[in-house]
Amino acid sequence: MANLKELTHREDRLAGGHRLCAGCGASVAVRQVLLGAGEDPVVVGCATGCLEVSTTIYPYSSWKTPFIHNAFENAAATISGVEAAFAGLKRAGKIDADKKVRFVAFGGDGGTYDIGLQALSGAMERGHDMVYVCYDNGAYMNTGIQRSSATPKGAWATTSEVGVAQAGKRQVRKDLTAIIAAHGVPYAAQASISHWKDLTAKAEKAFNTPGPAFLNVFAPCPRGWRIPSSMTVEIAKLAVQTGFWPVYEVEDGVWRQTVRVANKKPIEEFLKPQGRFKHLFAPGNEALLAEIQADVDRAYEGVLKRCAAE
Amino acid sequence: MTEKVLMKGNEALAEAAIRAGCRFFFGYPITPQTELAAYMAKRMGKAGGVYLQAESEIAAINMVYGASAAGKRAMTSSSSPGISLKGEGISYMAGADLPGVIINVQRGGPGLGGIQPSQSDYFQATRATGHGDFHLIVLAPSTVQEMTDYVFRAFDLADEYRMPVMILADGMLGQMMEPVVLPEPKTELPEKPWAVTGHRGERPHNVVNSLYLKPEELEDTNIERFERYERIKAAEQRAEEYLVDDADIVVVAFGASSRIARSAVNKAREKGIKVGLIRPITLWPFPVNAIGAAADRAKAILTVEMNMGQMVEDVRLAVCGRVPVEFFGRAGGIIPTPVETLAAIERIAASLEGGAR
């Protein structure tokens, strides 16, 4: 993998001047992922979401790549179609057999964990030579912070309110990376924008793996998480250090933790700076905090076990 | 309880739905209806009901199917692209004769379109929300007050005729704030002896179903349903008439565009043009009687819509060639101005004068 110096010489394929918020994790994720594509041409598909609306305000585009957008639920299906057409044209001899083009789809957690899961599962199972990247900020941010199945337990969102009946979202988040790994795809990984080297290395692997690959990238949203825009990377780092977001890869069925956490920090350190968890620190919610810690520990141990077993 | 409160259209509609006895709301985020779901998330629990955010619009409409089959008042809301996804479930509800209320806070299309107000789902709402031979009752509010009044009525209509009812609003009505008087909460809801609530060995099974593999049976259900539609057409047509009696030109406009049309009509009257307005309240059944009667008296009709010309087809069917029917519209999320609507009226007025000479 290229070192930082070499990476700085690569062209950014997502240009500045887009209209994402200051401190948005999504654009960081995209730039780091696309650095992993090397010099080959890349075709980008994108689900509806902040990333899509803020980078492609007609007639402008921030993408220095061919770009295709379709409805909210079907980025994986759309890029499947593009890849299938490319493969078909190759078979028909209309495109040189040694021509390399990368196909990647970006979607947020709403468009990936929820409404887009069917299309993603189909694409992974069919085995298209593509990379699907979820930038996970744990809610529908584009429509105004509604809960998704990636929203953490206890988080406030406009459709998981805080009050007497409940203290934010009641359910635990879905483990999407494991779900995709269970498809038996050659490469699935979980990464964070705070660990750029790990993320870009994983992107490089994902692009170089023939067949379907999946990256789940932790990408904080200052607006939705109620954090200052200067804290994006710090919060992402805390998610890794508290074990909330284990960073690992599953390569041909082999699980491997790629960023080891020496001394796992208490989950409070990740939760406390975020306004969406403020209520958890009010008197009376100690049990819920303990429950969240237990959930995180269990999930984290689960990942470690799977990594150790291999 | 009759005091006026200032509310956003989406939120007033949500509150009225709860007061109409809706205790099951199934939502999914999409601009510009999101406040409706957020309001339900806050209020429904306190009202003893269920707010549930589905994983997609398809899931949400099928949750309405389930709750409605169990005999409960249920609702879902979305905006144009989301309604397209709900189409399948709405068709199944119509086929299974299930009541339910669907809110469409329209935005510009087709495709992802935009997020500005539009009326370009008129065809979808009145012609082909999903596959098969069926209709929805479609109500078109033009004020925040009507957002509340019509949704309140929609639940009764849905139960009375056992069919889905759609409120066809738009982003302007959903987002705007106006004073509104909320209806008194309903205390009694109609019995639903057909609902699948468990027979306890005391009655035959109730069946909620839209599958009929014998064509004769399927045809019979369609014929029965269309007989019901005829009764609805006879009983439920609604339209508001404004300065129509002596009008040479009648403007036909629904929802948000009727507000603009009304301003243009007032300005035209100041200029001495005899013009009136018919505002269809029910888009299905379409108020053919009111428009037909106007066509007998007026010399020309102008349809004003926020689309490329959809309702104008129903107006032409109702007018049946008796007088010319013109169209003026803006699409893509652009709201026509009173000035340009007035200009359209003046063009027709000038052509009528020219014709008289």
Side-chain angles (χ1 to χ4, degrees):
Chain A
M1 120 127 221
N3 62 29
L4 181 57
K5 196 171 170 192
E6 287 158 356
L7 287 179
T8 56
H9 290 296
R10 282 193 191 159
E11 189 194 16
D12 248 335
R13 300 201 214 201
L14 181 72
H18 55 68
R19 301 188 196 180
L20 286 160
C21 302
C24 174
S27 56
V28 184
V30 169
R31 290 170 57 231
Q32 291 178 352
V33 165
L34 290 182
L35 282 177
E39 305 298 326
D40 294 322
V42 179
V43 177
V44 172
C46 201
T48 310
C50 288
L51 177 67
E52 172 260 330
V53 298
S54 305
T55 57
T56 59
I57 294 175
Y58 188 81
Y60 304 107
S61 172
S62 303
W63 298 87
K64 298 180 180 177
T65 65
F67 180 88
I68 185 166
H69 164 263
N70 200 345
F72 195 16
E73 69 279 14
N74 54 29
T78 304
I79 211 75
S80 293
V82 178
E83 189 272 346
F86 178 76
L89 288 169
K90 255 190 181 178
R91 276 197 305 277
K94 307 224 162 135
I95 292 176
D96 286 346
D98 53 357
K99 171 98 177 160
K100 260 194 175 174
V101 175
R102 312 296 196 179
F103 299 95
V104 59
F106 291 97
D109 50 284
T112 306
Y113 282 68
D114 288 351
I115 196 169
L117 184 58
Q118 176 176 320
L120 174 58
S121 177
M124 295 288 112
E125 187 271 336
R126 285 189 303 269
H128 295 275
D129 189 10
M130 61 176 274
V131 181
Y132 189 98
V133 182
C134 174
Y135 68 96
D136 183 340
N137 55 24
Y140 293 80
M141 299 308 183
N142 188 38
T143 44
I145 325 172
Q146 290 82 28
R147 60 89 85 186
S148 76
S149 56
T151 304
K153 185 195 268 184
W156 162 88
T158 55
T159 56
S160 60
E161 276 292 341
V162 174
V164 278
Q166 63 175 36
K169 193 186 163 190
R170 284 187 276 195
Q171 300 83 0
V172 291
R173 43 177 292 121
K174 192 188 277 180
D175 186 356
L176 181 66
T177 312
I179 292 168
I180 301 303
H183 284 65
V185 294
Y187 191 75
Q190 199 156 281
S192 167
I193 57 151
S194 55
H195 293 69
W196 62 268
K197 199 173 173 192
D198 176 76
L199 172 52
T200 304
K202 281 172 177 164
E204 207 168 276
K205 257 190 196 175
F207 280 116
N208 288 328
T209 301
F214 174 76
L215 295 175
N216 201 358
V217 184
F218 196 71
C221 168
R223 168 88 189 117
W225 295 12
R226 306 301 199 222
I227 54 170
S229 52
S230 57
M231 259 193 95
T232 302
V233 176
E234 208 177 323
I235 284 286
K237 205 174 276 176
L238 282 166
V240 177
Q241 290 167 345
T242 55
F244 176 85
W245 189 260
V247 170
Y248 62 90
E249 64 184 9
V250 186
E251 205 172 353
D252 295 321
V254 180
W255 287 60
R256 195 170 70 84
Q257 195 184 19
T258 55
V259 174
R260 293 191 187 279
V261 181
N263 293 304
K264 196 154 71 68
K265 292 181 174 172
I267 193 65
E268 277 90 340
E269 292 195 27
F270 169 66
L271 303 177
K272 205 156 195 177
Q274 303 182 48
R276 64 174 174 158
F277 294 114
K278 196 171 82 187
H279 53 281
L280 296 179
F281 297 91
N285 279 334
E286 294 81 5
L288 184 54
L289 261 182
E291 193 182 309
I292 291 169
Q293 180 70 66
D295 286 347
V296 169
D297 290 346
R298 192 170 49 245
Y300 186 74
E301 291 303 320
V303 170
L304 287 193
K305 248 180 231 164
R306 284 194 252 202
C307 291
E310 297 299 344
Chain B
M1 286 300 282
T2 51
E3 78 187 90
K4 278 191 175 179
V5 286
L6 187 65
M7 283 183 94
K8 225 178 197 190
N10 282 333
E11 296 180 342
L13 185 148
E15 178 58 35
I18 293 171
R19 291 176 181 221
C22 174
R23 289 294 177 276
F24 296 87
F25 178 85
F26 306 103
Y28 190 73
I30 187 166
T31 310
Q33 66 80 50
T34 300
E35 300 85 2
L36 208 164
Y39 187 89
M40 286 295 198
K42 268 201 176 76
R43 273 283 288 128
M44 210 36 132
K46 288 175 188 158
V50 170
Y51 164 84
L52 209 152
Q53 185 182 309
E55 74 277 19
S56 70
E57 284 93 346
I58 298 170
I61 187 68
N62 288 302
M63 289 172 186
V64 172
Y65 186 105
S68 177
K72 297 301 175 188
R73 287 195 159 178
M75 180 171 113
T76 184
S77 70
S78 192
S79 178
S80 309
I83 299 294
S84 295
L85 283 177
K86 290 185 196 291
E88 179 189 70
I90 295 171
S91 168
Y92 275 63
M93 286 178 69
D97 295 318
L98 284 175
V101 175
I102 300 117
I103 313 298
N104 182 359
V105 184
Q106 295 171 91
R107 60 190 238 185
L112 191 62
I115 56 171
Q116 303 302 322
S118 169
Q119 296 181 326
S120 54
D121 300 345
Y122 180 92
F123 281 156
Q124 185 193 44
T126 60
R127 299 282 199 287
T129 318
H131 60 282
D133 266 330
F134 76 92
H135 283 291
L136 307 173
I137 293 176
V138 184
L139 306 177
S142 69
T143 62
V144 174
Q145 185 64 55
E146 288 166 6
M147 294 278 271
T148 67
D149 295 346
Y150 294 3
V151 80
F152 203 70
R153 175 92 180 106
F155 282 97
D156 287 343
L157 287 170
D159 283 346
E160 185 177 344
Y161 294 107
R162 277 185 67 180
M163 62 189 285
V165 177
M166 181 179 279
I167 304 287
L168 195 66
D170 62 67
M172 181 169 136
L173 295 166
Q175 303 285 326
M176 69 170 17
M177 290 183 93
E178 277 182 339
V180 56
V181 178
L182 290 163
E184 288 293 328
K186 270 193 199 302
T187 47
E188 268 181 56
L189 298 179
E191 293 287 315
K192 294 183 181 174
W194 50 263
V196 278
T197 53
H199 59 76
R200 297 174 195 85
E202 289 163 9
R203 58 159 170 80
H205 288 281
N206 279 346
V207 177
V208 169
N209 171 50
S210 71
L211 174 68
Y212 299 90
L213 288 177
K214 284 189 187 151
E216 296 79 11
E217 277 183 24
L218 182 54
E219 187 187 41
D220 284 346
T221 67
N222 276 293
I223 289 170
E224 183 284 320
R225 200 167 292 121
F226 271 70
E227 285 166 358
R228 208 178 336 147
Y229 291 163
E230 286 306 315
R231 292 204 302 279
I232 297 169
K233 283 184 190 173
E236 302 296 345
Q237 289 182 34
R238 298 281 185 282
E240 184 195 356
E241 298 190 3
Y242 178 66
L243 306 178
V244 170
D245 288 344
D246 67 336
D248 290 334
I249 303 166
V250 171
V251 179
V252 183
F254 71 98
S257 56
S258 72
R259 300 169 70 112
I260 294 128
R262 189 184 299 258
S263 302
V265 164
N266 288 338
K267 286 206 167 73
R269 283 273 172 180
E270 284 166 20
K271 293 189 168 190
I273 303 170
K274 284 187 176 172
V275 56
L277 170 71
I278 293 180
R279 176 176 75 86
I281 293 169
T282 51
L283 300 183
W284 196 93
F286 194 68
V288 289
N289 298 343
I291 288 168
D296 286 335
R297 298 187 300 258
K299 293 175 186 157
I301 295 203
L302 170 69
T303 305
V304 178
E305 302 176 58
M306 278 147 58
N307 57 41
M308 295 301 289
Q310 299 191 14
M311 181 180 69
V312 63
E313 293 194 1
D314 279 336
V315 174
R316 285 190 176 125
L317 284 171
V319 168
C320 210
R322 278 171 282 182
V323 289
V325 177
E326 304 293 333
F327 169 75
F328 172 69
R330 297 296 306 265
I334 293 175
I335 300 166
T337 64
V339 173
E340 60 190 1
T341 309
L342 174 64
I345 294 170
E346 284 177 324
R347 277 197 296 277
I348 294 172
S351 75
L352 288 179
E353 269 176 41
R357 267 172 211 154

